[in-house]
Amino acid sequence: RILDLGTGTGRFSTIFAWVFDAHVIGVDPSTAMLAAADGSDQTKRATYVAGSAEAIPLRDQSCQLAWLSQVWHHVRDHQACARELQRILSPDSDVLVRGTFGDQLDGFPTLFRFWPAAREICRQLPTIQHTIAVFVANGFIFAEHRRVDQATAVSLHEFAERTRFRADSSLVLISDSEFLEGQAAIEMAAANEKVPDPVIERIDLLVFQRAV
């Protein structure tokens, strides 16, 4: 049984259910997102439940893996979240924390090239050092730190089309003038792109193991 904490609309829950032939429980505080996830899932191996990271609505030792993707910086109480993960996981289970950390910001050259103010926003995110300290203090062993390259867009044009919606939380937090200036610059650069070049971003993945 896999916990997808902060599942949103169930993007990873459905993938995990198929790939690992596992039962996945997606937990998220947004009932609107959960409704969309529940309606789109066709695997019948994923269950969606409303709940917070600080009060996970699952029984003790009921899961064997926990997945947190781009959600750690949204958690209000990291200590409480780590305690809850320690409670609901069985011994020797793993926690995978995927995301952006305030002390590791070299993975987003395109984003920060056009919106340098977004880098300063991201510097305020939890650091890797802080995250490791929180999990170790709550009964976990730090097992691994991986850096995974992913193609966010097949071209600068596609990336510019996405940023136009301003969905990235760092773009939401900068000023309107800074966003519009950066959007105009990236659309101009995209228009002059002769050969499409993929936009590659590097995402950090921290792996923790629940101590026996």
Side-chain angles (χ1 to χ4, degrees):
R1 187 180 288 114
I2 299 173
L3 166 65
D4 181 5
L5 187 60
T7 185
T9 57
R11 170 190 173 194
F12 286 106
S13 292
T14 302
I15 294 173
F16 288 159
W18 277 109
V19 172
F20 299 111
D21 193 20
H23 182 72
V24 182
I25 302 174
V27 174
D28 199 280
S30 172
T31 55
M33 285 191 173
L34 290 175
D38 192 45
S40 64
D41 178 56
Q42 301 297 321
T43 68
K44 306 303 181 185
R45 289 176 288 186
T47 303
Y48 299 101
V49 183
S52 71
E54 298 86 354
I56 302 172
L58 298 177
R59 298 190 306 273
D60 294 357
Q61 299 189 16
S62 58
C63 294
Q64 289 71 52
L65 178 69
W67 168 259
L68 290 76
S69 177
Q70 297 290 14
V71 69
W72 184 242
H73 58 282
H74 291 298
V75 176
R76 295 182 179 180
D77 189 336
H78 290 147
Q79 296 288 343
C81 176
R83 287 195 297 271
E84 279 291 89
L85 289 169
Q86 202 274 347
R87 177 185 66 79
I88 64 100
L89 287 171
S90 57
D92 295 326
S93 295
D94 292 330
V95 176
L96 281 64
V97 183
R98 173 185 181 271
T100 306
F101 298 89
D103 54 348
Q104 194 75 74
L105 298 177
D106 61 337
F108 308 92
T110 305
L111 180 70
F112 296 150
R113 170 188 167 192
F114 293 100
W115 292 278
R119 179 188 291 272
E120 299 309 310
I121 297 295
C122 290
R123 287 189 192 280
Q124 303 172 35
L125 297 175
T127 64
I128 291 175
Q129 182 179 5
H130 164 77
T131 304
I132 293 174
V134 168
F135 276 92
V136 169
N138 288 280
F140 289 91
I141 298 169
F142 174 52
E144 189 176 359
H145 174 201
R146 295 186 187 181
R147 308 203 72 201
V148 182
D149 289 342
Q150 66 176 29
T152 301
V154 298
S155 66
L156 197 60
H157 175 74
E158 181 184 333
F159 191 68
E161 288 291 318
R162 293 185 184 183
T163 56
R164 187 177 296 167
F165 293 100
R166 205 173 179 177
D168 189 291
S169 57
S170 65
L171 296 183
V172 173
L173 293 173
I174 64 177
S175 69
D176 290 344
S177 60
E178 289 170 323
F179 170 74
L180 292 173
E181 181 180 351
Q183 187 63 33
I186 194 173
E187 290 186 11
M188 181 178 295
N192 294 324
E193 186 179 40
K194 303 301 182 183
V195 178
D197 194 21
V199 176
I200 305 298
E201 295 183 336
R202 182 166 292 167
I203 308 296
D204 290 274
L205 179 69
L206 303 181
V207 182
F208 300 93
Q209 186 177 62
R210 184 191 186 278
V212 178

